[in-house]
Amino acid sequence: MSAEDLIAAARAAMARAYAPYSKFQVGAALRFADGAVVTGANVENASYGLSLCAETVAVARALAEGRRGGLVELAVVASGPDTVTPCGRCRQVLHELAALGGIDPVIHCVGPGEVREVRLSELLPHAFGPGSLG
Ligand code: THU
């Protein structure tokens, strides 16, 4: 699967976002080493602070499916005017799954007219993870 296909999967997920409060829709698509793609969209709540980000939903889906690593790359796309990068909490949540597989995934951060490619370790250097507990 190409990066374009992964971005298309993130866009399709974004269309299913439940974001009636912020109206800011986000989609994420995770690609695994076995070729599987797991997507997520943001899920908001009337109690605003309980809202879930797209990346976190995707990671939770992957873990709940039994995945414990193999995350190679992901794409994130949002409905806003700027290039979207995962929020701080999502960086940490992504790191958990990435660290289980020992892979530093590429993140395709989609914006209007550009796709910024960064490694998760660039967004979250010196991360705390599963290996940090001893
Ligand atoms: N959001 C995400 O889904 N991912 C991010 O990385 C940043 C923010 C969502 C949360 C909320 O539903 C909306 O975007 C506005 O913050």
Side-chain angles (χ1 to χ4, degrees), residues 6 21 27 32 34 38 49 56-57 66 69 71 74 79 85 103 110 116 119 122 127-129 133:
L6 194 64
Y21 306 107
F32 290 84
D34 65 359
V38 178
T56 289
V57 169
L71 176 60
L74 60 137
S79 59
T85 57
I103 300 171
V110 181
R116 193 178 304 162
R119 294 268 174 192
E122 295 177 64
F128 182 87
L133 294 170

Side-chain angles (χ1 to χ4, degrees), residues 26 40-43 51-58 87 89-90:
V26 186
N42 53 330
V43 176
S51 297
L52 301 173
C53 287
E55 302 92 319
T56 289
V57 169
C87 80
R89 182 176 188 271
C90 286

Side-chain angles (χ1 to χ4, degrees), residues 88-89 91-97 99 120 124-134:
R89 182 176 188 271
R91 295 175 193 196
Q92 181 67 31
V93 169
L94 285 163
H95 177 70
E96 182 79 19
L97 181 55
L120 179 58
L124 190 69
H126 311 291
F128 182 87
S132 306
L133 294 170

